[in-house]
Amino acid sequence: MKGRTALEYYVLDVFSNKSYKGNPLSVVFTDGNLDIETYKDIAKEFGYSETSFVYYSKDQKALNVRSFTPIGFEIDGAGHNLLGAVCGALLKEIPIFEEQDEHNRFVIMKNSPIPITVSFDPNTLDPIVQMHQKSAEIKREIPTYKIAVALGLKIEDLDSNDFVPTIVKTEVAHTMVPIKNSQLLNECVPDNKLLIEISKEYQSEGFYCFTISPNEDHIVETRFFNPIIGINEDPATGTAAGPLIGFLTQKKFTKSNHEYKILQGVKLKQASMIEVMNRANDILVGGSSVITMRGELYL
């Protein structure tokens, strides 16, 4: 495209090692910050739940990441948007850790450093990234009937014997919503208008609906709805997986320093596996990503 600036991009499927599974993320490689409207236009054009923009800063000695939803909302927190961005930079062989201490690796997200740990799959040599979220902070409970109505469920469909809907925060405040079984979880049809009203009333974002799984491969199955920022449903949500394992650990359902897996995206036919661990001073959220597409966009 003569006379126009070209930017390379990858599309990665995050929290998966197979293409067309997991949560698709577009990662755009830039030489620095873009105009805010350009970020928004590109994110809208891709149409994925989030688009991440990355560049390496020699001054900060770190990878810089900014992420936007299709409606132009800029994302905070360490979720699939950050994990996929880091994996994309590593797969592109950008030396993002060359000037960092190997025991203190981090990336910059909206001017805030996010600690990360990276290992490599011994078979494929693909990167496996663990993001370090803050310890979970349990906030307010939300009346069960409000959430049930907004999800098209009955009060008794929510597993209120063991857990109640509760706002929990690591980087971002999301509502943890217990559902009695997998069938109800996958049959529920949320009313986005009601969910947005609850988000505004209780000053939180998404709704992470979970059901305890009898499957030994994963501890819970989940679905995530966050219409207030333009995400009707997300196939994998790292910013909610951290609060959930923190919540379950504080409720004595899971143990600290033990790795668990969360299954998400089944309803969307984009099954994702999120690895989580609650520790004394932080929560690890991690997984793999695979490049599914690559190309150029033009400004």
Side-chain angles (χ1 to χ4, degrees):
M1 289 291 178
K2 190 174 180 180
R4 299 174 67 185
T5 301
L7 299 177
E8 185 178 9
Y9 70 85
Y10 290 171
V11 173
L12 298 102
D13 287 318
V14 185
F15 292 118
S16 174
N17 55 15
K18 294 181 180 179
S19 289
Y20 313 112
K21 302 295 183 182
N23 197 350
L25 174 78
S26 42
V27 177
V28 180
F29 300 96
T30 73
D31 294 326
N33 283 315
L34 305 176
D35 293 337
I36 192 75
E37 291 304 317
T38 302
Y39 287 130
K40 293 178 179 181
D41 286 343
I42 293 171
K44 179 182 177 183
E45 189 79 9
F46 274 113
Y48 296 121
S49 61
E50 291 162 33
T51 293
S52 290
F53 300 83
V54 305
Y55 71 92
Y56 182 78
S57 168
K58 288 191 172 293
D59 291 336
Q60 295 172 305
K61 300 179 181 179
L63 186 75
N64 275 247
V65 182
R66 295 182 71 174
S67 301
F68 293 80
T69 71
I71 65 169
F73 185 90
E74 185 166 9
I75 296 291
D76 283 313
H80 90 282
N81 58 310
L82 186 66
L83 189 149
V86 174
C87 284
L90 291 171
L91 291 166
K92 190 172 164 60
E93 299 184 347
I94 300 174
I96 62 176
F97 302 126
E98 192 172 64
E99 300 179 272
Q100 294 183 3
D101 185 313
E102 65 176 312
H103 301 296
N104 182 31
R105 289 177 168 173
F106 64 94
V107 298
I108 304 292
M109 181 86 189
K110 277 186 70 177
N111 301 315
S112 298
I114 305 285
I116 60 174
T117 301
V118 175
S119 59
F120 292 87
D121 187 297
N123 298 316
T124 64
L125 299 181
D126 288 339
I128 300 169
V129 175
Q130 290 178 309
M131 304 169 291
H132 298 237
Q133 295 184 7
K134 299 170 186 174
S135 294
E137 183 181 353
I138 294 182
K139 302 280 193 177
R140 301 172 65 182
E141 294 179 356
I142 297 179
T144 299
Y145 76 89
K146 286 191 174 186
I147 301 287
V149 170
L151 293 174
L153 296 172
K154 301 173 183 175
I155 292 176
E156 56 266 30
D157 294 337
L158 276 65
D159 191 6
S160 55
N161 291 329
D162 296 315
F163 308 103
V164 296
T166 304
I167 299 170
V168 185
K169 180 180 181 180
T170 55
E171 265 73 29
V172 184
H174 295 307
T175 303
M176 306 295 111
V177 182
I179 307 290
K180 275 194 172 177
N181 56 52
S182 180
Q183 181 177 343
L184 289 169
L185 175 73
N186 287 297
E187 286 180 352
C188 75
V189 180
D191 182 322
N192 286 342
K193 183 180 178 182
L194 291 179
L195 289 181
I196 289 171
E197 289 176 1
I198 295 170
S199 291
K200 289 179 178 178
E201 181 180 355
Y202 290 88
Q203 297 183 320
S204 64
E205 279 192 15
F207 299 83
Y208 207 36
C209 301
F210 69 95
T211 186
I212 304 302
S213 174
N215 191 316
E216 293 182 1
D217 188 44
H218 52 275
I219 187 74
V220 291
E221 182 182 346
T222 61
R223 292 177 70 188
F224 181 73
F225 311 109
N226 199 359
I228 199 169
I229 66 167
I231 299 175
N232 290 337
E233 182 167 1
D234 205 19
T237 315
T239 59
L244 178 57
I245 194 62
F247 178 60
L248 293 176
T249 303
Q250 290 191 38
K251 294 295 183 180
K252 309 298 183 186
F253 186 79
T254 53
K255 299 177 182 178
S256 289
N257 301 311
H258 185 92
E259 185 176 275
Y260 296 94
K261 293 182 179 180
I262 294 173
L263 175 65
Q264 189 178 336
V266 172
K267 178 73 173 182
L268 298 175
K269 296 182 171 57
Q270 292 171 251
S272 308
M273 198 65 79
I274 306 171
E275 299 170 359
V276 291
M277 181 187 296
N278 190 95
R279 305 196 301 183
N281 299 310
D282 63 7
I283 291 172
L284 299 182
V285 178
S288 303
S289 302
V290 60
I291 298 174
T292 298
M293 294 180 247
R294 67 201 311 171
E296 287 184 339
L297 59 85
Y298 303 97
L299 302 181

